Amino acid sequence: MKDSKAFWDKSAPRYAKRAISDQAAYEKKLSITQEYLQQDWSVLEFGCGTGSTAIIHSPCVRKIVAIDISAKMLEIAQQKAKDACVDNIEFLQGTLQELAFAPESFDAVLGLNILHLLENADAAVAKVYALLKPGGVFVSSTALIDEMNVALRLVIPLMQFLGLAPHVRRFSKKELLSMLTKAGFVIDKEWQPDKSSVFIVAKK
Ligand SMILES: C[S@@+](CC[C@H](N)C(=O)[O-])C[C@H]1O[C@@H](n2cnc3c(N)ncnc32)[C@H](O)[C@@H]1O
């Protein structure tokens, strides 16, 4: 966890400047998410990074609690929210397991580009289920590392050894869907922008 924090703190300035790799896919994910969001909803985003997605969704809901392990990511996110005059996002440093949220206190949870980075994704999914109100939605976007091209797959361990890549879990889509359904979720929407990632909306 300490290593992960340090990695993401170090990556934050570069991550903030990085261009979105597939703008059309990003916009489609935003629009699918917004088909679900409701004006009186309380939303949790974990692994919010530099806050861009939370800021975009903020006018659609009552409140967003956006959490991240990296203080540096959150510093950038807070500044971006301030610059955009957004005042309904609360940024908190910590993980799903560390922060004490009341059970069934959120209408939606967003976990975007994060599940494959966690040491214990199963525990995170169970926690998301516990934090959602009945009927609440979990929106996730997850990399399927085993579907990436061979060169990229081979380079990941080397980059990890050099401290240039974080821990990653090699989810298959089947494994990911099974993890969600085992936790109690019902899959409501599943979309693959490409073969190495999957966007899922799951309902409690
Ligand atoms: C790949 S970035 C994704 C950021 C954002 N969700 C996006 O889609 O651009 C992963 C983020 O998750 C954060 N993170 C990594 N492990 C975490 C954990 N256990 N709990 C909360 N945040 C975590 C990192 O600091 C980083 O900001």
Side-chain angles (χ1 to χ4, degrees):
M1 187 65 67
K2 218 170 123 227
D3 285 353
S4 180
K5 261 184 205 162
F7 173 84
W8 289 107
D9 274 344
K10 204 168 147 210
S11 308
R14 201 168 16 95
Y15 197 85
K17 287 192 199 119
R18 217 176 64 163
I20 290 167
S21 61
D22 182 343
Q23 185 65 30
Y26 180 64
E27 283 173 19
K28 181 162 172 180
K29 289 179 203 172
L30 293 174
S31 114
I32 295 174
T33 306
Q34 290 185 1
E35 284 169 19
Y36 288 87
L37 299 179
Q38 294 180 30
Q39 208 65 58
D40 61 345
W41 274 17
S42 177
V43 175
L44 172 68
E45 181 180 6
F46 67 102
C48 67
T50 60
S52 309
T53 303
I55 291 169
I56 292 170
H57 290 318
S58 63
C60 304
V61 298
R62 183 171 58 81
K63 182 183 178 175
I64 301 182
V65 178
I67 71 169
D68 201 283
I69 49 162
S70 161
K72 295 281 178 213
M73 289 281 190
L74 291 169
E75 252 173 48
I76 298 168
Q78 269 161 325
Q79 188 58 50
K80 281 209 247 177
K82 198 173 163 208
D83 293 346
C85 301
V86 167
D87 61 3
N88 64 340
I89 306 178
E90 182 184 7
F91 291 101
L92 297 173
Q93 187 183 2
T95 67
L96 280 174
Q97 314 297 340
E98 287 167 352
L99 293 162
F101 299 116
E104 304 199 341
S105 51
F106 295 100
D107 300 281
V109 176
L110 314 182
L112 307 168
N113 305 308
I114 175 76
L115 283 178
H116 57 285
L117 299 171
L118 301 178
E119 304 276 348
N120 192 342
D122 301 74
V125 168
K127 186 75 182 186
V128 168
Y129 191 84
L131 292 176
L132 278 171
K133 296 177 188 174
V137 292
F138 177 33
V139 179
S140 65
S141 184
T142 308
L144 306 172
I145 308 287
D146 275 352
E147 298 295 339
M148 289 179 174
N149 70 48
V150 183
L152 207 56
R153 267 186 283 149
L154 289 177
V155 106
I156 290 174
L158 176 66
M159 288 179 69
Q160 285 171 327
F161 179 73
L162 296 171
L164 300 172
H167 157 86
V168 284
R169 177 160 163 186
R170 303 167 76 125
F171 275 118
S172 67
K173 187 172 85 173
K174 196 172 154 209
E175 200 185 347
L176 190 58
L177 290 171
S178 148
M179 187 174 76
L180 290 164
T181 51
K182 271 192 195 141
F185 284 106
V186 174
I187 307 301
D188 202 57
K189 194 158 277 181
E190 180 202 318
W191 174 57
Q192 284 200 257
D194 53 69
K195 74 182 178 82
S196 59
S197 67
V198 63
F199 182 76
I200 298 171
V201 183
K203 270 197 178 160
K204 176 167 176 176

